[in-house]
Amino acid sequence: EQFHSRVAKLLYLAKRVRPDILTAVAFLSTRVQVASTEDWIKLERVLKYINGSRDLGICIDMSSGVCVLALVDASFAVHIDYKSHTGGIISYGKGPLFVKSTRQKLVSKSSTESELIGVSDMLPQVIWTRDFLIYQGYDVAASKVFQDNQSTIALANKGYSTSDKTRHIAIRYFFVKDRIDSGEIVLEYLPTMEMTADILTKPLQGALFRKLRKELLNWE
């Protein structure tokens, strides 16, 4: 009960002002029913990190204009049931307005498939955000969705499998192409080292964690 309560409180905090702990909390959330001593130690580590960085938060910057930007990444087969993990960020410039770090609902058979599932799962929120701005009277260009897997980008743009290894991917994920063709989104490549959403897919440490945390929070 103590473990469940503290994880729930951290999840509330992570989704609003401290997305830098969202990955850790997302993994802890999968353990609330079967928490062990090892899980409790991990929870205490997150609590110590939060207490040692209370001055951090989120800074929103829209100086670049009204344009919906999304970064989507996935870690392949990282869970005990071999499901992959999706991380996503939506912003209007700098600083996150929406963050996501969650286990995928399907077992994928390749990293390309897991990335495509991640993009597919993030698109409804991206489209909703763009539509919301349009309904407020803003002239909004196509949303830019950034990905670090070029095979995934090629698969989404073509709208069909390019090899035997990807023929098993469910057809429903190809609605991504429909959104590209309608001009609602543009799928662009972003090198892995510049993919801020990487911090939302796996545990990171040291200089790389601090670098991506700064980009995620946009906090000086």
Side-chain angles (χ1 to χ4, degrees):
E1 290 178 356
Q2 287 270 345
F3 183 88
H4 195 164
S5 175
R6 295 188 185 190
V7 169
K9 291 172 182 176
L10 284 175
L11 186 60
Y12 181 88
L13 183 69
K15 282 183 169 293
R16 286 156 179 81
V17 292
R18 291 300 300 271
D20 51 317
I21 66 167
L22 187 56
T23 305
V25 176
F27 276 86
L28 290 173
S29 296
T30 67
R31 302 289 300 170
V32 293
Q33 300 298 328
V34 290
S36 64
T37 302
E38 184 179 354
D39 296 322
W40 185 264
I41 293 172
K42 293 176 181 178
L43 173 60
E44 286 186 330
R45 185 176 181 182
V46 177
L47 290 169
K48 289 178 181 178
Y49 168 72
I50 282 292
N51 282 320
S53 56
R54 295 188 180 194
D55 57 329
L56 291 178
I58 292 174
C59 182
I60 305 297
D61 181 5
M62 290 181 60
S63 59
S64 59
V66 182
C67 180
V68 178
L69 307 175
L71 294 91
V72 186
D73 195 24
S75 288
F76 175 59
V78 293
H79 288 277
I80 193 169
D81 55 3
Y82 296 104
K83 290 180 179 177
S84 302
H85 198 90
T86 296
I89 305 166
I90 297 177
S91 72
Y92 293 159
K94 293 183 178 179
L97 296 176
F98 176 87
V99 290
K100 182 175 186 176
S101 179
T102 185
R103 179 171 58 181
Q104 294 182 356
K105 296 180 180 179
L106 299 176
V107 176
S108 53
K109 297 177 71 175
S110 68
S111 58
T112 296
E113 182 182 359
S114 68
E115 296 281 7
L116 187 59
I117 292 173
V119 172
S120 174
D121 288 346
M122 277 292 292
L123 268 193
Q125 184 65 42
V126 174
I127 294 166
W128 183 92
T129 304
R130 181 175 181 269
D131 288 345
F132 177 81
L133 287 173
I134 292 174
Y135 293 149
Q136 304 308 308
Y138 291 98
D139 183 14
V140 186
S143 301
K144 293 184 179 180
V145 180
F146 295 96
Q147 243 291 315
D148 64 356
N149 187 307
Q150 299 203 46
S151 296
T152 300
I153 295 174
L155 195 59
N157 282 320
K158 290 178 182 294
Y160 58 86
S161 174
T162 55
S163 74
D164 290 340
K165 293 182 179 180
T166 55
R167 289 186 185 279
H168 62 278
I169 299 177
I171 281 294
R172 66 177 177 268
Y173 291 107
F174 291 99
F175 91 89
V176 176
K177 176 173 170 53
D178 291 338
R179 300 301 181 175
I180 293 173
D181 291 344
S182 68
E184 294 178 77
I185 70 165
V186 176
L187 202 56
E188 296 187 6
Y189 174 72
L190 190 68
T192 301
M193 294 306 295
E194 299 177 25
M195 177 52 71
T196 309
D198 194 40
I199 197 175
L200 298 170
T201 65
K202 64 177 75 71
L204 300 176
Q205 297 181 10
L208 179 58
F209 174 79
R210 291 190 292 271
K211 173 182 178 292
L212 295 183
R213 180 183 67 182
K214 182 178 179 180
E215 295 173 1
L216 174 65
L217 302 178
N218 190 35
W219 188 269
E220 296 296 338

